[in-house]
Amino acid sequence: MTTEVSRAGGTGSPDGGTRWLDAGEQRAWRAWLYSSQLLNDRLDRELMRATGIPHAYYEILVQLSETPGRQMRMSELADRCLSSRSRLSHAVSRLEERGWVRRQECAEDGRGLLAVLTDEGFTALEAAAPIHVEGVRTHLFDQLSPEQVAAMRDIGETLLRHLDPD
């Protein structure tokens, strides 16, 4: 919300303590928000069209592929994919139907469930990865100068330190 909206009767703190966005901040916020949404939508559509894999499923396969034994506790996988546990469980069920992921009990405590990337799932990921990477390169990195990429990394790392201190 901008200062213009606050003057027009927008909601804010009664003591006037709301730090409204100025016009430049508002433009920056909207540009970042909309471009992020458009990029994610574009990458998802391209991946679906070429491979039949939604971006959310691709991310699950990537996360599993990057862990020792290509397996991870379901709860940790949900956290890494920024997903609720129920949404992740549904996605893993769909990936199980394709034979790309299987669930198994955690040998360490017998209580937790692991998601395990199968060889077939790894093969599907290998086929999808070039399409995903080409989309990221075409729609993001090819549009930016090296200085902008460095700034994007700096901004992203700053926000990650603030939002995800783990």
Side-chain angles (χ1 to χ4, degrees), residues 107-128:
E108 294 172 359
D109 64 18
R111 292 180 303 148
L113 278 178
L114 299 173
V116 181
L117 181 64
T118 65
D119 290 340
E120 294 83 6
F122 190 77
T123 299
L125 176 61
E126 285 181 314

Side-chain angles (χ1 to χ4, degrees), residues 13-151:
S13 63
D15 65 357
T18 300
R19 298 182 313 138
W20 298 104
L21 302 180
D22 66 29
E25 291 168 332
Q26 183 69 8
R27 282 192 308 273
W29 164 244
R30 293 292 169 105
W32 177 78
L33 180 66
Y34 294 149
S35 65
S36 296
Q37 290 172 337
L38 289 170
L39 177 61
N40 285 328
D41 289 346
R42 174 76 59 94
L43 294 174
D44 188 57
R45 279 194 318 276
E46 289 178 354
L47 199 57
M48 273 296 290
R49 184 173 42 247
T51 68
I53 302 172
H55 194 258
Y57 292 9
Y58 177 83
E59 183 60 26
I60 292 168
L61 299 177
V62 167
Q63 289 294 328
L64 291 173
S65 76
E66 295 176 344
T67 59
R70 299 190 313 206
Q71 62 186 11
M72 188 182 302
R73 281 183 178 273
M74 293 282 288
S75 57
E76 183 181 351
L77 184 57
D79 291 345
R80 288 219 189 154
C81 293
L82 302 176
S83 178
S84 69
R85 291 180 186 189
S86 63
R87 179 171 286 171
L88 178 85
S89 182
H90 178 75
V92 167
S93 293
R94 300 293 77 76
L95 292 168
E96 281 181 306
E97 291 169 3
R98 295 179 184 204
W100 295 351
V101 173
R102 66 179 160 73
R103 294 179 215 228
Q104 72 182 37
E105 281 189 14
C106 181
E108 294 172 359
D109 64 18
R111 292 180 303 148
L113 278 178
L114 299 173
V116 181
L117 181 64
T118 65
D119 290 340
E120 294 83 6
F122 190 77
T123 299
L125 176 61
E126 285 181 314
I131 292 144
H132 174 71
V133 169
E134 184 59 33
V136 171
R137 178 159 304 288
T138 299
H139 305 304
L140 179 63
F141 290 106
D142 289 351
Q143 308 307 311
L144 303 175
S145 70
E147 295 79 17
Q148 288 172 314
V149 171

